[in-house]
Amino acid sequence: MKTIKGAVLPITKEITQFIKNWLAQHIKNTDFTYKGKMPKLYAVPDPFVWDASFAVQYPQMDEEHKPLFQCVEELKTRGDDAELLASCLKSYEDHFVHEERLFTKSSLYPAEEAYQHINKHNAFLSTMRGLKTPVPSSWIDYASNWLTQHIKNTDFRYKDKMPHPVADPYVW
């Protein structure tokens, strides 16, 4: 037997045994390839503020990340403020453009990672652009979790792979 096509209830012992064997082989041959590669789930800070655990070691990126946290935190209590929402969207858009410009210029940051990173930014911005006031608490929870996981699981991957500013003229 190579398939369960045509199986009828009650499921026979032969089909049950086939499914158990298939599942065991699938886990051993497919799922184990993910071992150690799945992103870690990090705790979302409350209050939602940037701290040193989010440092990507590029001072300008770290400074740009701080207001992204502040926006989400302020939307918790001012979710009906359309100007705040628009300002937050602009902060996210500007930061993503700047960050993408840096990592796409890098010869050390793999192109496929850059592509995935940009897609993550675009997906987040799509949710944000679809918002209207009052901002739902479910989106604030989503944004808090997204930014936490994104910085620590995605942005951290560009550490030591983006250009650092170099003094001009460079002095030995």
Side-chain angles (χ1 to χ4, degrees):
M1 171 186 285
K2 295 185 179 179
T3 179
I4 59 170
K5 183 177 181 180
V8 293
L9 293 176
I11 302 294
T12 65
K13 286 185 181 184
E14 178 187 20
I15 290 176
T16 303
Q17 194 58 38
F18 168 79
I19 292 170
K20 286 167 41 177
N21 183 48
W22 177 87
L23 182 58
Q25 294 305 314
H26 173 78
I27 290 169
K28 286 166 65 177
N29 297 321
T30 305
D31 292 352
F32 279 174
T33 61
Y34 301 136
K35 192 172 183 175
K37 296 181 182 175
M38 297 300 286
K40 184 176 177 187
L41 188 61
Y42 292 92
V44 176
D46 187 23
F48 194 60
V49 293
W50 186 94
D51 63 45
S53 74
F54 291 98
V56 294
Q57 308 307 322
Y58 295 92
Q60 196 168 9
M61 290 296 100
D62 289 333
E63 288 305 312
E64 288 180 18
H65 283 153
K66 292 173 185 179
L68 304 182
F69 282 81
Q70 186 178 349
C71 280
V72 174
E73 183 64 21
E74 286 181 18
L75 284 169
K76 286 180 181 178
T77 56
R78 295 176 40 211
D80 57 345
D81 187 336
E83 282 184 36
L84 174 60
L85 179 59
S87 171
C88 289
L89 175 60
K90 176 118 176 66
S91 294
Y92 274 87
E93 289 172 333
D94 291 348
H95 167 67
F96 290 163
V97 165
H98 183 222
E99 186 177 73
E100 290 167 11
R101 190 175 328 119
L102 287 175
F103 67 63
T104 55
K105 279 199 265 183
S106 171
S107 61
L108 300 174
Y109 194 63
E112 74 178 30
E113 281 193 42
Y115 176 79
Q116 292 170 357
H117 198 149
I118 291 167
N119 283 342
K120 289 174 185 179
H121 288 171
N122 290 339
F124 179 80
L125 288 174
S126 291
T127 70
M128 199 170 191
R129 289 180 181 131
L131 290 174
K132 293 185 176 22
T133 56
V135 176
S137 63
S138 60
W139 186 85
I140 292 169
D141 293 342
Y142 162 77
S144 302
N145 185 59
W146 185 90
L147 187 59
T148 299
Q149 307 314 320
H150 179 77
I151 290 174
K152 292 189 174 186
N153 288 312
T154 303
D155 288 358
F156 276 19
R157 295 176 65 91
Y158 65 56
K159 280 185 177 183
D160 299 321
K161 295 180 182 172
M162 292 203 312
H164 281 281
V166 177
D168 188 22
Y170 185 76
V171 179
W172 290 90

